[in-house]
Every structure is written in C-alpha cells, then in structure tokens.
Amino acid sequence: MEPQIHKLSPEYISGFVDGEGCFGLQFRKDVRHERRGSPTYYSWKAQFMITARKDERELFEMIKSFFGCGNIYNQLDIEIHYAVSDLNELKNIISPFFKKYQLQGKKKNDFALWDEAVNILYKNKEERILAHRRSTCNKENQVRLIKIHSEMQKYKSARPRGLKHIDMAAKLIS
C-alpha cells in the first residue's frame, strides 16, 4: 500500500522555508575538459533550496508535489535537500509563490534580492554565459548581479564557498 500524501498549506510551506530555506545566487566556473583547449566558462546560477535532516524525506516529497518541480537529494547520509534550479521554474513557480505567501524577517529581504536576480537572469537567459574574458552579457546587468550577490551575503551564514569566483565576475565585465 502506498503512503498517502497529505496536502500542505501554502502558509505552512512559507513558514518552513522561513526557517530552513535558502535563496541562492552563484557565479559558477565550468571547465570543459572534453573540448580542445579546455575552455573555461562562467555563468550565473540562481537556486531555491530547503535543507533538513534525512528523516524529513516524506515532507520534502509533499513539498515537491506541491510545487510540481525540483529535485530531492541526499547529502552526506544525514541531510536531505529539496532544490529548484531551472530558471523557468524559479521565475514562474517559486517567485510568484513567495510573492503571494510572503516570508518574514531577514528571509523576506533575501528573497527580494534573489527575485530581482532571477528576473535579470530570466530576461537575459540566452546571454548568461561568459566565455573566457569576453562578456556577451549586458554590463549593467552584470554589475547589478554582482551587487545583488554582495547584498545577499548579509543574509547568509558565513560560507567562503558562496564567494567563490565572484572576483572573476568583476574582472570579466571590466
């Protein structure tokens, strides 16, 4: 017999995300070793994620079912993550949800910055990748994404990984 999936209220999900959710914006490096010369590409990536103990899998299945998108991952055999990183899903499902069912406290400010970044990335989704030192992206948008990334850091736990490659983002637009 399959377990019965109970429906979660939007208010419950919003409250849960207030405590356990994360709105991420990263500047990523990708080295394509399979290509001649191993070219390096840089790109912006937005992500929505919730992290909890591994025993919360059933809850995460309900959240995934509620949104109709995203994936669930196990981490280090003790944590579980629900993550959405598809730009269309972030723009059309996740952002509207949190605009309607607003977060509280500092997470609300973090979301507002993240939502602005998602809008910039969505409008420029064909031009998000920067190859080597040539930028095909609008310089104004790149500058704003760097500023948003910097402003979001005050709402994050101190993690050096979050700042990885951000200096390269500034170099690529200069």
Side-chain angles (χ1 to χ4, degrees), residues 3-15:
Q4 183 179 1
I5 301 287
H6 301 285
K7 290 194 174 203
L8 299 173
S9 74
E11 294 83 6
Y12 175 84
I13 292 173
S14 182

Side-chain angles (χ1 to χ4, degrees), residues 120-137:
I120 290 169
L121 294 174
Y122 187 82
K123 288 177 188 171
N124 298 281
K125 60 184 168 184
E126 301 302 321
E127 302 174 347
R128 288 188 310 141
I129 296 182
L130 304 174
H132 303 287
R133 296 196 177 276
R134 292 175 293 133
S135 172
T136 59
C137 299

Side-chain angles (χ1 to χ4, degrees), residues 58-131:
E58 186 176 345
L59 174 61
F60 278 29
E61 292 289 349
M62 289 188 285
I63 293 171
K64 180 181 177 186
S65 176
F66 179 90
F67 285 119
C69 64
N71 294 297
I72 298 172
Y73 305 96
N74 292 327
Q75 174 106 11
L76 302 175
D77 216 29
I78 57 171
E79 283 186 344
I80 191 167
H81 301 282
Y82 167 71
V84 180
S85 56
D86 179 88
L87 193 54
N88 289 320
E89 293 169 347
L90 294 173
K91 170 70 175 154
N92 297 310
I93 299 170
I94 303 301
S95 285
F97 174 82
F98 288 107
K99 286 178 182 173
K100 184 172 182 177
Y101 301 98
Q102 294 187 3
L103 299 156
Q104 305 300 312
K106 68 179 184 175
K107 195 77 64 157
K108 182 176 184 175
N109 299 327
D110 191 32
F111 168 74
L113 290 166
W114 177 86
D115 183 57
E116 182 183 351
V118 166
N119 285 324
I120 290 169
L121 294 174
Y122 187 82
K123 288 177 188 171
N124 298 281
K125 60 184 168 184
E126 301 302 321
E127 302 174 347
R128 288 188 310 141
I129 296 182
L130 304 174

Side-chain angles (χ1 to χ4, degrees), residues 139 169-174:
K139 185 175 180 177
K171 287 179 186 176
L172 288 170
I173 61 170
S174 58

